[in-house]
């Protein structure tokens, strides 16, 4: 009995040892797997790629100190801003670069930043263009179609009140320094409509038609002048609703710019390019204060 008991116990102990080894192996495997899943840096293939992108929003540049304000800045301060970006390792990108990153998997600079100008004032050409050219930088200019057409016909160029003509837009676009985008045909005039939003009581079908016609008019104006068709819609006054966002997508725009302030986080998801946040650059702030505010 004792002998039989001992043999059965030995067999039992061997089985327990085998099971224990198998169990420990599973634990080790699960532990390694769990570590890999819980620590994505240890598994590069699973790493989520994302890039922080600050976007700065400028409007008018004038040397007249009496004109400085929320949307007008001196060329000297603009230069200091650009020199700060370059000295701190930032490289400027435009919408085409963002689309290539999202849609094609193209690389972005290690520290990207986007510089934008709204409205398309002639003083952007007069002051910002040579500064950007000198520093090897580039920017996005979103134009108001009605103003572009008006001053293209008149040929007037004045730092205080005129807008970029088609000839100037072609010049800056071909240089690669300015990328031209759509800021509506004429949704900036004061009236019952806030920017490009639907008016109270306006039928949805009527609004869709008005918005589409206004937007496409800019596309046609620029394309017929030999400029690339804009790929980004910049909302007048930053006003946006689910309706406008939907139409913007329907019209084939791959990006849209708003006026809400904050940092953008780029990924391979095309949705990250819509209603992008921007930091408005007013006068009265030092370059350091402005860049601190924007997280740059």
């Amino acid at each position: 009995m004792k002998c039989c008991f001992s043999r059965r116990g030995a067999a039992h102990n061997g089985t327990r040892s085998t099971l224990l080894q198998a169990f420990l192996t599973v634990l080790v495997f699960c532990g390694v797997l769990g570590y890999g899943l819980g620590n994505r840096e240890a598994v590069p293939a699973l790493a989520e790629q994302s890039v922080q992108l600050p976007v700065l929003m400028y409007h008018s540049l004038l040397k007249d100190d009496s004109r400085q304000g929320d949307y007008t800045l001196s060329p000297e301060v603009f230069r200091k801003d650009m020199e700060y970006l370059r000295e701190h390792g930032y490289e400027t990108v435009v919408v085409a670069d963002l689309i290539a990153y999202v849609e094609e998997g193209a690389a972005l600079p290690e520290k990207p930043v986007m510089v934008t100008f709204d409205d398309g004032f002639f003083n952007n050409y007069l002051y910002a263009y040579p500064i950007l050219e000198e520093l090897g930088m580039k920017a996005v200019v979103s134009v108001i179609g009605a103003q572009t057409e008006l001053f293209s016909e008149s040929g007037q160029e004045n730092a205080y009140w005129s807008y970029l003509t088609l000839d100037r837009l072609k010049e800056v676009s071909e240089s690669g320094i300015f990328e031209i985008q759509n800021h509506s045909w004429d949704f900036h005039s004061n009236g019952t409509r806030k920017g490009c939003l639907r008016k109270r009581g306006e039928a949805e079908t009527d609004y869709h038609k008005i918005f589409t016609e206004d937007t496409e008019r800019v596309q046609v104006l620029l394309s017929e002048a030999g400029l690339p068709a804009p790929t980004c819609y910049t909302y007048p006054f930053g006003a946006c609703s689910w309706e406008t966002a939907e139409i913007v997508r329907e019209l084939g725009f791959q990006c849209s710019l708003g006026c809400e302030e904050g940092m953008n986080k780029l990924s391979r998801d095309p949705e990250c390019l819509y209603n992008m946040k921007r930091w408005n650059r007013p006068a009265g702030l030092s370059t350091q204060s402005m860049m601190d505010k924007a997280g740059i």
Side-chain angles (χ1 to χ4, degrees):
M1 291 289 297
K2 186 177 181 180
C3 182
C4 289
F5 177 79
S6 297
R7 291 173 63 185
R8 289 176 60 190
H12 183 62
N13 288 339
T15 300
R16 290 179 60 187
S17 177
T18 301
L19 290 174
L20 180 60
Q21 290 178 1
F23 179 67
L24 290 174
T25 300
V26 171
L27 286 179
V28 170
F29 175 77
C30 290
V32 171
L33 179 61
Y35 178 81
L37 293 176
N39 297 271
R40 289 180 178 269
E41 292 182 356
V43 187
L46 296 178
E48 293 183 0
Q49 296 184 354
S50 63
V51 177
Q52 284 196 327
L53 177 71
V55 182
L56 299 174
M57 177 172 58
Y58 297 85
H59 289 77
S60 181
L61 299 181
L62 290 174
K63 293 184 176 181
D64 187 347
D65 290 341
S66 67
R67 298 292 188 98
Q68 308 299 298
D70 288 342
Y71 304 106
T72 303
L73 194 71
S74 73
E76 292 76 19
V77 173
F78 176 75
R79 172 183 283 278
K80 289 179 181 178
D81 287 357
M82 297 303 103
E83 289 176 341
Y84 178 98
L85 294 175
R86 194 175 71 162
E87 290 167 3
H88 286 77
Y90 283 89
E91 296 182 53
T92 50
V93 296
V94 293
V95 174
D97 298 317
L98 307 186
I99 293 174
Y101 172 79
V102 172
E103 301 287 351
E104 303 168 15
L108 285 176
E110 183 178 349
K111 297 173 71 174
V113 63
M114 191 156 75
V115 175
T116 67
F117 284 90
D118 282 11
D119 305 329
F121 291 106
F122 170 67
N123 58 45
N124 297 170
Y125 172 85
L126 190 62
Y127 300 123
Y129 182 61
I131 293 173
L132 293 169
E133 184 177 33
E134 177 188 337
L135 298 177
M137 305 172 82
K138 53 189 177 180
V140 177
V141 177
S142 299
V143 301
I144 301 172
Q147 298 295 343
T148 296
E149 182 183 65
L150 175 65
F151 287 95
S152 295
E153 292 174 350
S154 71
Q156 295 177 317
E157 292 186 329
N158 185 285
Y160 286 88
W161 43 261
S162 72
Y163 291 73
L164 287 162
T165 65
L166 288 170
D167 286 342
R168 291 300 190 193
L169 291 178
K170 288 171 64 177
E171 177 186 347
V172 298
S173 175
E174 290 171 0
S175 73
I177 296 172
F178 278 162
E179 179 189 67
I180 313 305
Q181 298 296 351
N182 191 325
H183 200 25
S184 88
W185 180 265
D186 195 24
F187 276 141
H188 287 77
S189 56
N190 293 325
T192 56
R193 190 186 304 281
K194 181 180 180 181
C196 61
L197 299 182
R198 177 153 61 114
K199 294 189 295 185
R200 183 182 296 275
E202 185 175 34
E204 185 176 342
T205 53
D206 292 340
Y207 172 66
H208 191 288
K209 182 174 183 292
I210 290 169
F211 185 94
T212 299
E213 290 178 348
D214 180 278
T215 305
E216 290 185 337
R217 196 171 176 183
V218 182
Q219 301 294 98
V220 170
L221 175 72
L222 298 178
S223 296
E224 289 186 346
L227 286 152
T231 55
C232 180
Y233 188 84
T234 302
Y235 291 108
F237 309 116
C240 175
S241 69
W242 67 268
E243 291 175 300
T244 56
E246 189 174 89
I247 301 172
V248 163
R249 286 169 169 78
E250 287 177 6
L251 293 175
F253 290 100
Q254 297 168 275
C255 174
S256 60
L257 301 177
C259 291
E260 180 184 353
E261 295 190 329
M263 183 68 74
N264 298 285
K265 191 172 184 179
L266 301 180
S267 66
R268 302 299 182 179
D269 182 358
E271 285 299 309
C272 72
L273 298 184
Y274 290 103
N275 205 20
M276 298 187 72
K277 299 178 176 66
R278 296 187 291 167
W279 296 96
N280 180 55
R281 197 348 170 170
L285 283 179
S286 68
T287 290
Q288 185 66 61
S289 296
M290 179 64 210
M291 298 306 172
D292 287 345
K293 178 183 177 182
I296 296 176

